[in-house]
Amino acid sequence: MIHDKTGKGNDYLGWVDWAENYDKDEYDRIKVAAKRIQDQADVLLVCGIGGSYLGSRAAIEMIQGPYGTSDLEVIFIGNTFSSTAIVRILEYIKDKDVAVNVISKSGTTTETALAFRLVRQFLEEKYGVEDAAKRIYATTDKSSGLLRPLADAKGYETFVIPDDIGGRFSVITPVGLLPIAAAGIDIDALMKGVSDATFDLNTEDLNANPAYVYAVARRILEKQGKVAEMFVSYEPHLLFLAEWWKQLFGESEGKEDKGLLPTSVNNSTDLHSLGQFVQEGNKILFETILTVKEPLEDMVFPFEEGDLDELNYLADKSLHWVNQKAFEGTLEAHVETGKVPNILLEIEKLDAYNFGYLVYFFFKALAMSVYMIDVNPFDQPGVEVYKRNMFRLLGKK
Ligand code: PA5
């Protein structure tokens, strides 16, 4: 159904062969624009929400961490109505050189449109209308929505969100690639990861396809009475990958009164918090753990004369080894003592290649998993309900 495009929502399967089919000229333009952004700005504001936001943030944080490692600071806006959050960002950027990538497939998402008007006015006041336009990059639908005509009228450089790829699958399109490239990350390596995963996960043989094994395991655990899946990592760099994963799974399968609740923890931090619930609480969940073989950084723990903190038993051990032992001890505690089933996923490194590979793995697993409960994985009708009420309260005609 996924490959023959015969299942529900089959208009949105463009991601399946995207590694082969993407627009190569546009891809080259992304690299040029990313370089220009680096030259013209101290800060890149990425203005978007949901699928137009989480993927690039997940990639940048996975590879560079929450504080970034390039000269360009990437700040995400347009993903909240919080006046405090919005005003603080406007205050923070006022004396900096700024570029903006506004991303919205529909062009009508209110959080994004509202923030973009404020940012646009800020840029036009600071640089003048014409120069501001050279700092604004719009990623949107090729013809429909409100952002396309606005971008054309103002003369912004634009990038296209393909018709057949939904928001939460769009990190491998210009939606994700422009901010990721601007942050200085190798998007060729990312796309190579997508391409290798496309090839590796192409087989319908369950035993040879880990994406399908994961998909089936989720459904078996659900049949055994589990109602929640907890995504677990031991790397703070993966906090936003977890946010991205929750959107991918929650928005895709939470329909028709069906689906597992996707939730997440970051250990060992959360072992001092939700760890208690996992160990001894209501047996509603299973864990899906993503571990990383090779850390980006490591150091040897030092010996100290006197050993007042009683940590000399760790002297000469690496910090990553300690983290690894925390994972192994927890796995045993949760599975054997707590009787909480665990699914284990492992990647080599926190790099662009593994990010590309991993997101495709999750796309494929998700599509299979959701087709198994006869739900359309690619729409999100439920998100309209809050919007209707909010617009009524806001007085929108
Ligand atoms: O996955 C999705 O489709 C959604 O999360 C959208 O990405 C999100 O609502 C933002 O929509 P848009 O890009 O139209 O502003």
Side-chain angles (χ1 to χ4, degrees), residues 48-53 103-109 112 161 166-170 247 251 378 380 383 387:
I49 194 168
S52 292
Y53 147 67
I103 308 170
S104 179
K105 189 168 189 177
S106 63
T108 53
T109 302
T112 302
I161 308 180
R168 53 195 176 275
F169 297 79
S170 68
Q247 189 214 1
E251 208 168 34
F378 306 114
Q380 52 286 327
V383 300
K387 289 184 192 169

